[in-house]
Amino acid sequence: MSAPGQPSIPQHVAIIMDGNGRWARQRGLPRLEGHRRGVESVRTALNAARELGIRYITLYAFSVENWKRPQEEVSGLMGLLELYLKRELSTFVRDEVRFHAIGRTADLPAGVCRLLRETEEATRHFTHWHFTLALNYGARTEVVDAARAYALAVRAGRANPAETGWDEFSRYLYTADLPDPDLLIRTSGELRISNFLLLQLAYAEMVFSPTLWPDFTKADLQAAVDEYGRRERRYGLTSEQVRPGPP
Ligand code: FPP
């Protein structure tokens, strides 16, 4: 029951992909096998998003905290990422999907870093579909990086604190090119935000799915979108204001 004038399909869906490790453990497999299957779900989610008409999809693939995982898992994840980017570039170009990476990406392994830049560059001219991976991402780190960039802009005379509101400041976030997410999905039944897009999710609707990420299908995305369509987004207004009745 979206409010009149509110689209029932979210423009931007952000997903915390969780449950790869549990998926693997349930099958007696190494954790990396769960991540490998998780990559298949990334492909599924991206295709499903386009089929449903969701223009922006953002996936939390590696947090600033994930470096503390066992070394073998971290290097395995970096290997999967490298392989994924190499394989997927032609698909992004074929499907006219613009690829973005957000986070402290310069601190990722040099090979991954180079592939990220190449993929962003090769898809820069596409405008309709947007696929973003959050890598070495943390919302608090993002705020610190934005504050540093803003301070430098003030010092250089390119920004004026007296005239800086949210619209001006948000241009210093990693997500400057992206609209705020309308819908956040977290898989695996966990009810946390885990330092993901804390500022950008200010007015997002949230759906927590019990499905483990490697089992995530188009039906799971559709179910979350259907739930989104039943929500009333009020942005601080009253229900009567967003849903005016007959005079
Ligand atoms: C959370 O599951 C998942 C991650 C920390 C990594 C997500 C990575 C992928 C889906 C694969 C790599 C992605 C790309 C785009 C190549 P978890 O390991 O915390 O699961 P658990 O809570 O069940 O242990």
Side-chain angles (χ1 to χ4, degrees):
M1 65 114 150
S2 23
Q6 176 193 309
S8 57
I9 297 291
Q11 182 186 32
H12 185 175
V13 174
I15 306 183
I16 302 178
M17 310 181 281
D18 198 7
N20 295 349
R22 273 162 286 167
W23 184 92
R25 195 172 60 235
Q26 285 170 5
R27 290 161 179 77
L29 297 169
R31 290 181 58 82
L32 198 57
E33 200 49 44
H35 294 314
R36 213 168 270 134
R37 285 295 294 261
V39 177
E40 290 310 312
S41 299
V42 169
R43 291 193 176 96
T44 303
L46 184 53
N47 286 333
R50 285 175 43 252
E51 284 162 20
L52 295 176
I54 297 163
R55 287 187 57 205
Y56 293 80
I57 182 153
T58 297
L59 305 181
Y60 201 6
F62 194 84
S63 75
V64 289
E65 289 86 12
N66 286 154
W67 295 109
K68 296 179 207 138
R69 290 193 174 204
Q71 187 46 46
E72 189 184 304
E73 182 169 344
V74 171
S75 47
L77 277 168
M78 292 302 145
L80 285 178
L81 181 60
E82 204 165 327
L83 204 61
Y84 173 80
L85 290 167
K86 277 183 191 157
R87 285 197 183 150
E88 235 54 22
L89 176 58
S90 58
T91 311
F92 296 151
V93 170
R94 183 197 67 199
D95 296 339
E96 304 193 349
V97 174
R98 181 168 175 186
F99 174 81
H100 312 253
I102 56 169
R104 281 195 180 161
T105 52
D107 295 341
L108 291 162
V112 170
C113 210
R114 198 189 61 247
L115 278 165
L116 291 174
R117 296 289 87 81
E118 285 171 6
T119 311
E120 283 184 320
E121 203 45 53
T123 61
R124 188 172 292 282
H125 52 292
F126 299 130
T127 54
H128 191 74
W129 304 112
H130 296 260
F131 173 48
T132 303
L133 281 180
L135 291 162
N136 195 19
Y137 177 88
R140 290 179 172 180
T141 312
E142 178 177 30
V143 171
V144 170
D145 286 349
R148 283 182 186 154
Y150 177 71
L152 289 175
V154 170
R155 199 159 68 186
R158 287 183 280 108
N160 178 356
E163 289 169 8
T164 301
W166 175 248
D167 286 349
E168 290 74 29
F169 185 75
S170 64
R171 286 186 207 127
Y172 296 87
L173 296 172
Y174 305 144
T175 51
D177 292 341
L178 307 171
D180 285 346
D182 302 292
L183 170 64
L184 170 76
I185 302 170
R186 182 173 189 142
T187 58
S188 90
E190 304 288 349
L191 308 179
R192 288 189 293 277
I193 308 271
S194 300
N195 201 13
F196 186 45
L197 299 175
L198 297 182
L199 295 169
Q200 296 87 341
L201 292 173
Y203 293 101
E205 296 298 323
M206 299 190 186
V207 171
F208 296 93
S209 161
T211 304
L212 302 178
W213 179 250
D215 290 329
F216 194 83
T217 62
K218 183 180 177 187
D220 292 295
L221 183 63
Q222 178 75 67
V225 167
D226 289 347
E227 171 63 30
Y228 171 84
R230 290 190 286 273
R231 304 272 178 90
E232 182 181 73
R233 304 186 76 191
R234 291 202 289 271
Y235 301 95
L237 304 182
T238 66
S239 192
E240 291 70 26
Q241 283 175 301
V242 293
R243 181 179 288 283

